[in-house]
Amino acid sequence: MDAAGLPADKAHDSIRPLSAGNYRLFIESRQPWSTCIAFNGKIRIQYRLLKPGFQRAAAFYQGVCMNQEQTVPEGQNQEADELRNLSEQQRVRREKLAKLQSEGRDPFAVLTWNQTHHSKQIKDAFAEHENKDVSVAGRIMSFRDIGKAGFIDLQDRDGRIQVYLNAEGLGAEIYADIKTWDVGDIVGVEGYVFKTKRGEISVHANRMVLLTKSLEPLPEKFHGLRDPEIRYRRRYLDLIMNTQVMDTFKKRTQIIKCIRDYLDEREYIEVDTPILSTIASGAAARPFVTKSNALNLQLYLRIATELYLKRCIVGGMERVYDMGKNFRNEGIDIRHNPEFTMIELYQAYADYNDMMELLENLVAYTALKVCGSTTVTYQGTELNLAPPWRRLTMMDAVKEYGNIDFSAVKDDAEAQVLAKKHGLDHELKKKLKDCTKGDILNAAFEKFAEEHLIQPTFILDYPADISPLTKQKPGDPTMTERFEAFIFAREIANAYSELNDPIVQLDRFTQQARERELGDDEAYMLDEDFVASLEVGMPPTGGMGIGIDRLIMFLTDAYSIRDVILFPTMKPQS
RNA sequence: GGGAUGCUAGCUCAGUAGGUAGAGCAACGCCCUUUUAAGGCGUGGGUCACAGGUUCGAAUCCUGUGCAUCUCACCA
């Protein structure tokens, strides 16, 4: 035997040392020329390099050395070098795969499996299935080998079911073969349903097929996958290992379906509005910028669907919504992901009072359907979502929680004095002397009141300065018919009696343009065609936006928005 | 953008006055035909995130970088 562990009588002139204990040797496969690597005296076959034409490689694996006729061009060696970095466990699995493929049993060549049952179905109705034949499929989550018999925990879409297998039922040879399968592999099982001595509902296997080989070891069975970075980056592992993650995303789908059902029943029309647009308006946020090659044009990803949906109202649709992704180029934290799901809906001949009723009923309906109750527990706090929700004007909220009475404040100057007195000058974005009564009221609300709004609460009547798309309150042009709904101190919806006066709307946009010139890059962009649509005439309309991800967070008790978004935005790792 | 914390085997985590890197699970070999975090015996497995520095010697101390988590700001 030589250093690489090969029989001395075989020709090894194609074995070249790579580094201490590691050798590269070149062997012939059908095409193209491939390499294997010998590690510390053990032959390791790198299956990835061995394209179709495996017989000879496999023979080599079994100790018969191939004659060398040609070596790999230098340029290809890099790949072999990279493969040396595989862990022991990865190499073992690749060898197992190579062996199967060399025997003409390539698991990746399997096309279908006739899956007649799922785990939950069998477990939920055991009496009905007992002693009946079933065919299940899924991933091996654990394998308890007890000699001539064994138990596999098989995980499918709905959960897990145990498979019992023994040498008697399957044949000693096949049983021995199955023992080489790994946790993580995907298998098909045919057998009959029974209950073990310990009472575990199981499938007694009489046929098993390896449907897919897993080349990566799964995270540990007991502790599972905890590292949040891997959970978010490699969500598939998270879904496999953490069952509540699968539940959360199933619930997410149900919630979205519920919302659609609710609105569709009320004769709302679902529409798709553009994501790419030359103007990103309808909200105060910085957009993502992109570019059209065909049009040689700078485009923005939408930050809201509002202005397009109102055009639909102008067009006569009466009730519309768009549920989809918005994109805001802003900070990322447990409540914000750069792309997030939002529904905006608009109803002609309605106002913000109608939107309040719609929201509280919609949320209660969804909670009842998905969670089975209008009371949910979020992060240890019980939330009662049943209507009616508390209604409180912003001014009353500030009075109640901050002990400041803005109803007595006559003008901006007076408000500025109050702001100073209550330490609000640090909260304000602009210089105090530029702040209006509305700015200061809003700051006072955020500082004193917001954190107390744990149970669902509507905060009504926002200052006009921060609500450029909203109708003014009758009798008070500084205030608007706008509400935001808060749950657990977080905003989950924002709604208006929509401003439909094109002249006032143009004024508001002009004001926003001034703010933009003063450096506020979140001020609303002017959309002239939208104003033109209002000139055609939009009926009185109530509109609302609901943060879908945030609603889902409450209904699934998710701490972070990343826990309800399958693939949250992450920086690349390297 | 600021601050705090973390990054060690496939996974979950220990580790140290600065002196050859540890456990459990997983892997590999053997035993076991109703187990279920199965059990028993044995064996392998690491660029201690990355790059510098201090030192006879660095996973450990210092500096920088990357990524993540939390937090503040921004943001509704």
mmCIF file of all heavy atoms in Angstrom, chain A residues 13-51:
data_model
loop_
_atom_site.group_PDB
_atom_site.id
_atom_site.type_symbol
_atom_site.label_atom_id
_atom_site.label_comp_id
_atom_site.label_asym_id
_atom_site.label_seq_id
_atom_site.Cartn_x
_atom_site.Cartn_y
_atom_site.Cartn_z
ATOM 1 N N ASP A 13 0.957 6.639 -11.187
ATOM 2 C CA ASP A 13 1.716 7.819 -11.612
ATOM 3 C C ASP A 13 0.814 9.029 -11.805
ATOM 4 O O ASP A 13 1.279 10.132 -11.958
ATOM 5 C CB ASP A 13 2.521 7.519 -12.877
ATOM 6 C CG ASP A 13 1.645 6.915 -13.941
ATOM 7 O OD1 ASP A 13 0.479 6.541 -13.615
ATOM 8 O OD2 ASP A 13 2.085 6.808 -15.072
ATOM 9 N N SER A 14 -0.485 8.795 -11.761
ATOM 10 C CA SER A 14 -1.363 9.946 -11.868
ATOM 11 C C SER A 14 -1.800 10.460 -10.501
ATOM 12 O O SER A 14 -2.632 11.341 -10.404
ATOM 13 C CB SER A 14 -2.600 9.572 -12.663
ATOM 14 O OG SER A 14 -3.252 8.534 -11.975
ATOM 15 N N ILE A 15 -1.258 9.894 -9.464
ATOM 16 C CA ILE A 15 -1.568 10.424 -8.134
ATOM 17 C C ILE A 15 -0.553 11.498 -7.803
ATOM 18 O O ILE A 15 0.642 11.279 -7.865
ATOM 19 C CB ILE A 15 -1.489 9.325 -7.058
ATOM 20 C CG1 ILE A 15 -2.522 8.250 -7.365
ATOM 21 C CG2 ILE A 15 -1.724 9.924 -5.676
ATOM 22 C CD1 ILE A 15 -2.446 7.083 -6.432
ATOM 23 N N ARG A 16 -1.045 12.630 -7.484
ATOM 24 C CA ARG A 16 -0.125 13.717 -7.166
ATOM 25 C C ARG A 16 -0.441 14.249 -5.778
ATOM 26 O O ARG A 16 -1.609 14.466 -5.450
ATOM 27 C CB ARG A 16 -0.316 14.875 -8.145
ATOM 28 C CG ARG A 16 -0.030 14.489 -9.574
ATOM 29 C CD ARG A 16 -0.367 15.651 -10.450
ATOM 30 N NE ARG A 16 -0.308 15.268 -11.851
ATOM 31 C CZ ARG A 16 -0.799 16.003 -12.820
ATOM 32 N NH1 ARG A 16 -1.411 17.149 -12.520
ATOM 33 N NH2 ARG A 16 -0.694 15.618 -14.064
ATOM 34 N N PRO A 17 0.594 14.448 -4.992
ATOM 35 C CA PRO A 17 0.327 15.017 -3.674
ATOM 36 C C PRO A 17 -0.201 16.443 -3.793
ATOM 37 O O PRO A 17 0.297 17.226 -4.593
ATOM 38 C CB PRO A 17 1.691 14.995 -2.980
ATOM 39 C CG PRO A 17 2.682 14.757 -4.042
ATOM 40 C CD PRO A 17 2.005 14.183 -5.246
ATOM 41 N N LEU A 18 -1.224 16.753 -3.048
ATOM 42 C CA LEU A 18 -1.745 18.122 -2.987
ATOM 43 C C LEU A 18 -1.163 18.837 -1.784
ATOM 44 O O LEU A 18 -0.705 19.953 -1.840
ATOM 45 C CB LEU A 18 -3.267 18.101 -2.828
ATOM 46 C CG LEU A 18 -4.094 17.715 -4.037
ATOM 47 C CD1 LEU A 18 -5.549 17.617 -3.624
ATOM 48 C CD2 LEU A 18 -3.931 18.745 -5.130
ATOM 49 N N SER A 19 -1.269 18.150 -0.661
ATOM 50 C CA SER A 19 -0.696 18.665 0.573
ATOM 51 C C SER A 19 -0.525 17.458 1.460
ATOM 52 O O SER A 19 -0.926 16.351 1.091
ATOM 53 C CB SER A 19 -1.633 19.687 1.217
ATOM 54 O OG SER A 19 -2.878 19.086 1.472
ATOM 55 N N ALA A 20 0.013 17.653 2.626
ATOM 56 C CA ALA A 20 0.311 16.513 3.479
ATOM 57 C C ALA A 20 -0.912 15.631 3.661
ATOM 58 O O ALA A 20 -1.942 16.078 4.129
ATOM 59 C CB ALA A 20 0.797 17.002 4.837
ATOM 60 N N GLY A 21 -0.828 14.393 3.255
ATOM 61 C CA GLY A 21 -1.918 13.464 3.476
ATOM 62 C C GLY A 21 -3.011 13.519 2.435
ATOM 63 O O GLY A 21 -3.885 12.675 2.406
ATOM 64 N N ASN A 22 -2.978 14.492 1.560
ATOM 65 C CA ASN A 22 -4.018 14.602 0.544
ATOM 66 C C ASN A 22 -3.406 14.430 -0.836
ATOM 67 O O ASN A 22 -2.362 14.988 -1.131
ATOM 68 C CB ASN A 22 -4.698 15.969 0.614
ATOM 69 C CG ASN A 22 -5.534 16.094 1.862
ATOM 70 O OD1 ASN A 22 -6.113 15.118 2.309
ATOM 71 N ND2 ASN A 22 -5.552 17.276 2.410
ATOM 72 N N TYR A 23 -4.077 13.655 -1.659
ATOM 73 C CA TYR A 23 -3.572 13.408 -3.001
ATOM 74 C C TYR A 23 -4.684 13.619 -3.990
ATOM 75 O O TYR A 23 -5.851 13.390 -3.691
ATOM 76 C CB TYR A 23 -3.071 11.955 -3.134
ATOM 77 C CG TYR A 23 -1.971 11.637 -2.184
ATOM 78 C CD1 TYR A 23 -2.250 11.298 -0.870
ATOM 79 C CD2 TYR A 23 -0.643 11.704 -2.599
ATOM 80 C CE1 TYR A 23 -1.242 11.036 0.029
ATOM 81 C CE2 TYR A 23 0.371 11.429 -1.704
ATOM 82 C CZ TYR A 23 0.074 11.098 -0.398
ATOM 83 O OH TYR A 23 1.076 10.837 0.480
ATOM 84 N N ARG A 24 -4.343 14.052 -5.152
ATOM 85 C CA ARG A 24 -5.327 14.092 -6.217
ATOM 86 C C ARG A 24 -4.966 12.978 -7.185
ATOM 87 O O ARG A 24 -3.802 12.774 -7.507
ATOM 88 C CB ARG A 24 -5.285 15.424 -6.949
ATOM 89 C CG ARG A 24 -6.191 15.427 -8.173
ATOM 90 C CD ARG A 24 -6.123 16.720 -8.916
ATOM 91 N NE ARG A 24 -6.603 17.801 -8.071
ATOM 92 C CZ ARG A 24 -5.921 18.913 -7.843
ATOM 93 N NH1 ARG A 24 -4.749 19.098 -8.392
ATOM 94 N NH2 ARG A 24 -6.406 19.846 -7.054
ATOM 95 N N LEU A 25 -5.944 12.229 -7.600
ATOM 96 C CA LEU A 25 -5.627 11.272 -8.643
ATOM 97 C C LEU A 25 -6.657 11.395 -9.750
ATOM 98 O O LEU A 25 -7.774 11.840 -9.554
ATOM 99 C CB LEU A 25 -5.557 9.851 -8.092
ATOM 100 C CG LEU A 25 -6.722 9.343 -7.294
ATOM 101 C CD1 LEU A 25 -7.508 8.392 -8.159
ATOM 102 C CD2 LEU A 25 -6.207 8.623 -6.071
ATOM 103 N N PHE A 26 -6.221 11.047 -10.908
ATOM 104 C CA PHE A 26 -7.020 11.293 -12.098
ATOM 105 C C PHE A 26 -7.464 9.976 -12.678
ATOM 106 O O PHE A 26 -6.666 9.073 -12.872
ATOM 107 C CB PHE A 26 -6.188 12.078 -13.114
ATOM 108 C CG PHE A 26 -5.717 13.360 -12.541
ATOM 109 C CD1 PHE A 26 -4.430 13.498 -12.079
ATOM 110 C CD2 PHE A 26 -6.589 14.422 -12.424
ATOM 111 C CE1 PHE A 26 -4.008 14.680 -11.518
ATOM 112 C CE2 PHE A 26 -6.169 15.611 -11.860
ATOM 113 C CZ PHE A 26 -4.874 15.743 -11.407
ATOM 114 N N ILE A 27 -8.729 9.880 -12.897
ATOM 115 C CA ILE A 27 -9.242 8.632 -13.444
ATOM 116 C C ILE A 27 -10.130 8.918 -14.630
ATOM 117 O O ILE A 27 -10.580 10.049 -14.821
ATOM 118 C CB ILE A 27 -10.050 7.851 -12.399
ATOM 119 C CG1 ILE A 27 -11.248 8.691 -11.980
ATOM 120 C CG2 ILE A 27 -9.179 7.484 -11.221
ATOM 121 C CD1 ILE A 27 -12.274 7.895 -11.258
ATOM 122 N N GLU A 28 -10.397 7.889 -15.362
ATOM 123 C CA GLU A 28 -11.205 8.069 -16.555
ATOM 124 C C GLU A 28 -12.669 7.842 -16.226
ATOM 125 O O GLU A 28 -13.040 6.869 -15.580
ATOM 126 C CB GLU A 28 -10.787 7.037 -17.606
ATOM 127 C CG GLU A 28 -11.555 7.182 -18.890
ATOM 128 C CD GLU A 28 -11.261 6.004 -19.804
ATOM 129 O OE1 GLU A 28 -10.196 5.391 -19.635
ATOM 130 O OE2 GLU A 28 -12.110 5.718 -20.646
ATOM 131 N N SER A 29 -13.496 8.740 -16.617
ATOM 132 C CA SER A 29 -14.919 8.452 -16.641
ATOM 133 C C SER A 29 -15.350 8.737 -18.069
ATOM 134 O O SER A 29 -14.554 9.195 -18.863
ATOM 135 C CB SER A 29 -15.665 9.311 -15.648
ATOM 136 O OG SER A 29 -15.631 10.645 -16.069
ATOM 137 N N ARG A 30 -16.570 8.495 -18.399
ATOM 138 C CA ARG A 30 -16.936 8.550 -19.817
ATOM 139 C C ARG A 30 -16.685 9.936 -20.392
ATOM 140 O O ARG A 30 -16.102 10.104 -21.422
ATOM 141 C CB ARG A 30 -18.397 8.154 -19.983
ATOM 142 C CG ARG A 30 -18.617 7.333 -21.223
ATOM 143 C CD ARG A 30 -20.040 6.855 -21.287
ATOM 144 N NE ARG A 30 -20.235 5.626 -20.519
ATOM 145 C CZ ARG A 30 -21.396 5.296 -19.964
ATOM 146 N NH1 ARG A 30 -22.435 6.095 -20.064
ATOM 147 N NH2 ARG A 30 -21.506 4.186 -19.299
ATOM 148 N N GLN A 31 -17.173 10.931 -19.652
ATOM 149 C CA GLN A 31 -16.914 12.287 -20.096
ATOM 150 C C GLN A 31 -17.436 13.257 -19.073
ATOM 151 O O GLN A 31 -18.442 12.986 -18.459
ATOM 152 C CB GLN A 31 -17.614 12.556 -21.425
ATOM 153 C CG GLN A 31 -19.062 12.130 -21.375
ATOM 154 C CD GLN A 31 -20.033 13.173 -21.776
ATOM 155 O OE1 GLN A 31 -19.696 14.156 -22.391
ATOM 156 N NE2 GLN A 31 -21.275 12.984 -21.414
ATOM 157 N N PRO A 32 -16.840 14.327 -18.849
ATOM 158 C CA PRO A 32 -15.476 14.617 -19.285
ATOM 159 C C PRO A 32 -14.490 13.980 -18.316
ATOM 160 O O PRO A 32 -14.883 13.213 -17.452
ATOM 161 C CB PRO A 32 -15.433 16.131 -19.169
ATOM 162 C CG PRO A 32 -16.342 16.425 -18.020
ATOM 163 C CD PRO A 32 -17.411 15.380 -18.035
ATOM 164 N N TRP A 33 -13.266 14.338 -18.427
ATOM 165 C CA TRP A 33 -12.258 13.798 -17.522
ATOM 166 C C TRP A 33 -12.482 14.333 -16.130
ATOM 167 O O TRP A 33 -12.764 15.489 -15.946
ATOM 168 C CB TRP A 33 -10.856 14.130 -18.031
ATOM 169 C CG TRP A 33 -10.619 13.365 -19.276
ATOM 170 C CD1 TRP A 33 -10.842 13.783 -20.542
ATOM 171 C CD2 TRP A 33 -10.213 12.025 -19.357
ATOM 172 N NE1 TRP A 33 -10.598 12.791 -21.430
ATOM 173 C CE2 TRP A 33 -10.196 11.673 -20.735
ATOM 174 C CE3 TRP A 33 -9.855 11.052 -18.436
ATOM 175 C CZ2 TRP A 33 -9.832 10.423 -21.172
ATOM 176 C CZ3 TRP A 33 -9.483 9.815 -18.894
ATOM 177 C CH2 TRP A 33 -9.481 9.500 -20.247
ATOM 178 N N SER A 34 -12.394 13.444 -15.175
ATOM 179 C CA SER A 34 -12.780 13.813 -13.819
ATOM 180 C C SER A 34 -11.682 13.476 -12.827
ATOM 181 O O SER A 34 -10.757 12.736 -13.131
ATOM 182 C CB SER A 34 -14.038 13.070 -13.405
ATOM 183 O OG SER A 34 -15.026 13.261 -14.374
ATOM 184 N N THR A 35 -11.832 13.983 -11.671
ATOM 185 C CA THR A 35 -10.831 13.716 -10.648
ATOM 186 C C THR A 35 -11.470 13.080 -9.427
ATOM 187 O O THR A 35 -12.640 13.254 -9.164
ATOM 188 C CB THR A 35 -10.148 15.004 -10.164
ATOM 189 O OG1 THR A 35 -11.134 15.831 -9.584
ATOM 190 C CG2 THR A 35 -9.466 15.728 -11.282
ATOM 191 N N CYS A 36 -10.705 12.355 -8.695
ATOM 192 C CA CYS A 36 -11.094 11.977 -7.340
ATOM 193 C C CYS A 36 -9.974 12.438 -6.430
ATOM 194 O O CYS A 36 -8.903 12.802 -6.873
ATOM 195 C CB CYS A 36 -11.189 10.501 -7.085
ATOM 196 S SG CYS A 36 -11.737 9.497 -8.353
ATOM 197 N N ILE A 37 -10.241 12.379 -5.183
ATOM 198 C CA ILE A 37 -9.231 12.808 -4.230
ATOM 199 C C ILE A 37 -9.059 11.722 -3.198
ATOM 200 O O ILE A 37 -10.022 11.118 -2.741
ATOM 201 C CB ILE A 37 -9.669 14.106 -3.537
ATOM 202 C CG1 ILE A 37 -9.874 15.183 -4.588
ATOM 203 C CG2 ILE A 37 -8.623 14.556 -2.540
ATOM 204 C CD1 ILE A 37 -10.512 16.411 -4.025
ATOM 205 N N ALA A 38 -7.824 11.451 -2.846
ATOM 206 C CA ALA A 38 -7.563 10.503 -1.778
ATOM 207 C C ALA A 38 -7.175 11.277 -0.526
ATOM 208 O O ALA A 38 -6.306 12.122 -0.567
ATOM 209 C CB ALA A 38 -6.419 9.580 -2.184
ATOM 210 N N PHE A 39 -7.880 11.001 0.524
ATOM 211 C CA PHE A 39 -7.614 11.712 1.778
ATOM 212 C C PHE A 39 -6.975 10.770 2.767
ATOM 213 O O PHE A 39 -7.607 9.777 3.159
ATOM 214 C CB PHE A 39 -8.906 12.209 2.416
ATOM 215 C CG PHE A 39 -9.551 13.316 1.660
ATOM 216 C CD1 PHE A 39 -10.500 13.052 0.716
ATOM 217 C CD2 PHE A 39 -9.189 14.623 1.919
ATOM 218 C CE1 PHE A 39 -11.101 14.069 0.034
ATOM 219 C CE2 PHE A 39 -9.796 15.644 1.234
ATOM 220 C CZ PHE A 39 -10.751 15.379 0.288
ATOM 221 N N ASN A 40 -5.813 11.075 3.204
ATOM 222 C CA ASN A 40 -5.220 10.348 4.325
ATOM 223 C C ASN A 40 -5.425 8.844 4.216
ATOM 224 O O ASN A 40 -5.848 8.201 5.158
ATOM 225 C CB ASN A 40 -5.825 10.836 5.640
ATOM 226 C CG ASN A 40 -5.362 12.232 5.955
ATOM 227 O OD1 ASN A 40 -4.204 12.559 5.723
ATOM 228 N ND2 ASN A 40 -6.265 13.047 6.444
ATOM 229 N N GLY A 41 -5.187 8.329 3.042
ATOM 230 C CA GLY A 41 -5.242 6.887 2.903
ATOM 231 C C GLY A 41 -6.616 6.319 2.644
ATOM 232 O O GLY A 41 -6.789 5.136 2.466
ATOM 233 N N LYS A 42 -7.641 7.165 2.633
ATOM 234 C CA LYS A 42 -8.967 6.648 2.313
ATOM 235 C C LYS A 42 -9.386 7.228 0.969
ATOM 236 O O LYS A 42 -9.256 8.417 0.758
ATOM 237 C CB LYS A 42 -9.978 7.095 3.363
ATOM 238 C CG LYS A 42 -9.716 6.510 4.709
ATOM 239 C CD LYS A 42 -10.625 7.175 5.693
ATOM 240 C CE LYS A 42 -10.102 6.936 7.101
ATOM 241 N NZ LYS A 42 -10.700 7.859 8.034
ATOM 242 N N ILE A 43 -9.915 6.404 0.141
ATOM 243 C CA ILE A 43 -10.326 6.912 -1.160
ATOM 244 C C ILE A 43 -11.667 7.621 -1.025
ATOM 245 O O ILE A 43 -12.621 7.094 -0.483
ATOM 246 C CB ILE A 43 -10.488 5.760 -2.162
ATOM 247 C CG1 ILE A 43 -9.213 4.932 -2.241
ATOM 248 C CG2 ILE A 43 -10.846 6.305 -3.534
ATOM 249 C CD1 ILE A 43 -7.991 5.717 -2.617
ATOM 250 N N ARG A 44 -11.721 8.817 -1.491
ATOM 251 C CA ARG A 44 -12.977 9.556 -1.488
ATOM 252 C C ARG A 44 -13.325 9.891 -2.923
ATOM 253 O O ARG A 44 -12.498 10.418 -3.647
ATOM 254 C CB ARG A 44 -12.840 10.868 -0.717
ATOM 255 C CG ARG A 44 -12.396 10.685 0.708
ATOM 256 C CD ARG A 44 -13.450 9.956 1.488
ATOM 257 N NE ARG A 44 -13.121 9.977 2.910
ATOM 258 C CZ ARG A 44 -13.742 9.261 3.823
ATOM 259 N NH1 ARG A 44 -14.711 8.459 3.464
ATOM 260 N NH2 ARG A 44 -13.397 9.343 5.084
ATOM 261 N N ILE A 45 -14.523 9.618 -3.284
ATOM 262 C CA ILE A 45 -14.934 9.964 -4.640
ATOM 263 C C ILE A 45 -15.786 11.214 -4.587
ATOM 264 O O ILE A 45 -16.730 11.290 -3.803
ATOM 265 C CB ILE A 45 -15.736 8.823 -5.270
ATOM 266 C CG1 ILE A 45 -14.882 7.571 -5.242
ATOM 267 C CG2 ILE A 45 -16.196 9.208 -6.660
ATOM 268 C CD1 ILE A 45 -14.802 6.816 -6.495
ATOM 269 N N GLN A 46 -15.463 12.141 -5.376
ATOM 270 C CA GLN A 46 -16.264 13.358 -5.446
ATOM 271 C C GLN A 46 -17.257 13.196 -6.572
ATOM 272 O O GLN A 46 -16.945 13.382 -7.727
ATOM 273 C CB GLN A 46 -15.367 14.570 -5.706
ATOM 274 C CG GLN A 46 -14.359 14.788 -4.617
ATOM 275 C CD GLN A 46 -15.011 14.921 -3.254
ATOM 276 O OE1 GLN A 46 -16.192 15.178 -3.146
ATOM 277 N NE2 GLN A 46 -14.234 14.722 -2.212
ATOM 278 N N TYR A 47 -18.448 12.835 -6.173
ATOM 279 C CA TYR A 47 -19.407 12.455 -7.201
ATOM 280 C C TYR A 47 -19.693 13.602 -8.156
ATOM 281 O O TYR A 47 -20.006 13.415 -9.291
ATOM 282 C CB TYR A 47 -20.708 11.987 -6.564
ATOM 283 C CG TYR A 47 -21.692 13.083 -6.372
ATOM 284 C CD1 TYR A 47 -22.712 13.274 -7.295
ATOM 285 C CD2 TYR A 47 -21.569 13.977 -5.322
ATOM 286 C CE1 TYR A 47 -23.591 14.309 -7.151
ATOM 287 C CE2 TYR A 47 -22.433 14.999 -5.179
ATOM 288 C CZ TYR A 47 -23.461 15.172 -6.089
ATOM 289 O OH TYR A 47 -24.325 16.212 -5.963
ATOM 290 N N ARG A 48 -19.591 14.834 -7.653
ATOM 291 C CA ARG A 48 -19.970 15.952 -8.511
ATOM 292 C C ARG A 48 -19.097 16.035 -9.759
ATOM 293 O O ARG A 48 -19.485 16.590 -10.764
ATOM 294 C CB ARG A 48 -19.848 17.273 -7.735
ATOM 295 C CG ARG A 48 -21.086 17.571 -6.938
ATOM 296 C CD ARG A 48 -21.310 19.011 -6.846
ATOM 297 N NE ARG A 48 -20.116 19.687 -6.331
ATOM 298 C CZ ARG A 48 -20.068 20.979 -6.109
ATOM 299 N NH1 ARG A 48 -21.099 21.728 -6.350
ATOM 300 N NH2 ARG A 48 -18.975 21.530 -5.647
ATOM 301 N N LEU A 49 -17.902 15.512 -9.601
ATOM 302 C CA LEU A 49 -16.998 15.569 -10.736
ATOM 303 C C LEU A 49 -17.245 14.421 -11.696
ATOM 304 O O LEU A 49 -16.768 14.431 -12.811
ATOM 305 C CB LEU A 49 -15.560 15.502 -10.251
ATOM 306 C CG LEU A 49 -15.164 16.680 -9.373
ATOM 307 C CD1 LEU A 49 -13.730 16.527 -8.931
ATOM 308 C CD2 LEU A 49 -15.380 17.978 -10.112
ATOM 309 N N LEU A 50 -17.931 13.442 -11.208
ATOM 310 C CA LEU A 50 -18.139 12.269 -12.031
ATOM 311 C C LEU A 50 -19.485 12.387 -12.714
ATOM 312 O O LEU A 50 -20.512 12.042 -12.177
ATOM 313 C CB LEU A 50 -18.087 11.018 -11.161
ATOM 314 C CG LEU A 50 -16.787 10.886 -10.367
ATOM 315 C CD1 LEU A 50 -16.887 9.706 -9.431
ATOM 316 C CD2 LEU A 50 -15.605 10.733 -11.283
ATOM 317 N N LYS A 51 -19.463 12.893 -13.877
ATOM 318 C CA LYS A 51 -20.703 13.070 -14.633
ATOM 319 C C LYS A 51 -21.182 11.668 -15.049
ATOM 320 O O LYS A 51 -20.603 10.691 -14.610
ATOM 321 C CB LYS A 51 -20.385 13.980 -15.825
ATOM 322 C CG LYS A 51 -19.542 15.185 -15.367
ATOM 323 C CD LYS A 51 -20.283 16.472 -15.373
ATOM 324 C CE LYS A 51 -19.627 17.450 -14.419
ATOM 325 N NZ LYS A 51 -18.695 18.346 -15.024
#
